[in-house]
């Protein structure tokens, strides 16, 4: 079965990218520095507007420390803007501008940190179970100056009853059937689960329809979201928490 890159876990993605480091014969050397074509593009600060200082600082941290701290693979550095930061920004139009937004499996802070920068009136909770990533997220919050972020070390499944979010986001965390079961209990009635997925999003949503209904979610949809002209669209899956208890 083909790999859905957007559904690869952080650890799997880092391992796969780190393993794919050919020497001179492969045309890519350990000491080769490849520039991100988006670096210095004036459309970036124009797009991010007031969020630009925090997003730019986050980008710099990822460039300087992301690979060293095992958060991103080396071949992601030249595509941080389009594949990760702009990709994360694509979910913002599907989120409330205020209220509580929970980003589960936050990892390197994608999309949660970008969301926090772009939605300063919302309260953002970054949920991450791994200690080293939690330490990183605290460092990011300190360095970017974001004041609307809380970091929690936990798994989504452990927070049922502790949070009642207006929206829950997830990127590269799990298949939709698992994700719906883990995140639906964290969402208030009428709130949304937002998942970033790859090219097989429609197929995955269809396969997860039973789990979606059992989790008390309805109105599952796949959206194609764009940010700056010329970038690849991001597939965003949304589902709404309905009334009544979920099926256990």
């Amino acid at each position: 079965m083909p790999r859905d890159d957007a559904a690869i876990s952080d650890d799997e993605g880092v391992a796969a990218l780190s393993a794919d480091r050919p020497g001179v014969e492969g045309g890519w050397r350990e000491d080769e520095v490849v520039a991100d074509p988006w670096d210095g593009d004036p459309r970036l600060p124009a797009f991010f507007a007031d969020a630009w200082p925090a997003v730019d600082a986050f980008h710099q941290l990822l460039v300087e420390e992301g690979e060293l701290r095992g958060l991103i693979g080396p071949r992601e550095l030249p595509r941080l803007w389009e594949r990760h930061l702009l990709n994360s920004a694509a979910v913002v139009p599907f989120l409330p501008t205020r209220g509580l937004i929970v980003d589960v499996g936050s990892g390197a802070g994608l999309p949660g940190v970008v969301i926090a920068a772009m939605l300063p009136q919302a309260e953002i909770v970054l949920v991450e179970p791994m200690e080293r990533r939690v330490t990183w997220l605290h460092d990011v919050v300190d360095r970017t100056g974001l004041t609307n972020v809380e970091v929690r070390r936990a798994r989504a499944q452990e927070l049922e009853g502790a949070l009642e979010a207006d929206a829950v986001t997830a990127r590269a965390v799990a298949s939709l059937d698992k994700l719906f079961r883990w995140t639906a209990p964290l969402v208030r009635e009428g709130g949304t689960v937002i998942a970033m997925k790859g090219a097989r999003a429609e197929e995955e949503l269809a396969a997860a329809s039973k789990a979606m209904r059992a989790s008390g979610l309805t109105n599952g949809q796949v959206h194609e979201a764009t940010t700056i002209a010329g970038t690849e669209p991001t597939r965003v899956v949304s589902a709404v928490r309905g009334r009544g208890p979920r099926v256990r």
Side-chain angles (χ1 to χ4, degrees), residues 169-215:
T169 60
R171 179 181 189 262
V173 172
S175 60
L176 283 176
D177 58 343
K178 292 180 181 177
L179 192 65
F180 287 151
R181 292 197 298 269
W182 296 345
T183 59
L186 309 183
V187 185
R188 66 166 177 79
E189 183 182 306
T192 55
V193 172
I194 302 292
M196 303 172 68
K197 286 292 176 179
R200 301 169 66 89
E202 290 87 353
E203 181 179 333
E204 191 176 344
L205 179 59
S209 59
K210 183 177 179 180
M212 182 181 72
R213 292 192 299 271
S215 301

Side-chain angles (χ1 to χ4, degrees), residues 129-204:
M130 293 186 62
E131 183 176 6
R132 66 179 176 84
R133 293 177 182 170
V134 167
T135 300
W136 159 262
L137 291 171
H138 281 295
D139 291 345
V140 168
V141 172
D142 289 342
R143 294 276 293 274
T144 56
L146 291 170
T147 59
N148 59 332
V149 179
E150 176 188 350
V151 180
R152 289 202 189 188
R153 186 183 178 190
R155 297 183 183 277
Q157 308 93 298
E158 299 167 350
L159 294 176
E160 182 173 356
L163 295 172
E164 191 174 57
D166 296 283
V168 173
T169 60
R171 179 181 189 262
V173 172
S175 60
L176 283 176
D177 58 343
K178 292 180 181 177
L179 192 65
F180 287 151
R181 292 197 298 269
W182 296 345
T183 59
L186 309 183
V187 185
R188 66 166 177 79
E189 183 182 306
T192 55
V193 172
I194 302 292
M196 303 172 68
K197 286 292 176 179
R200 301 169 66 89
E202 290 87 353
E203 181 179 333
E204 191 176 344

Side-chain angles (χ1 to χ4, degrees), residues 25 210 247:
E25 292 182 1
K210 183 177 179 180
V247 179

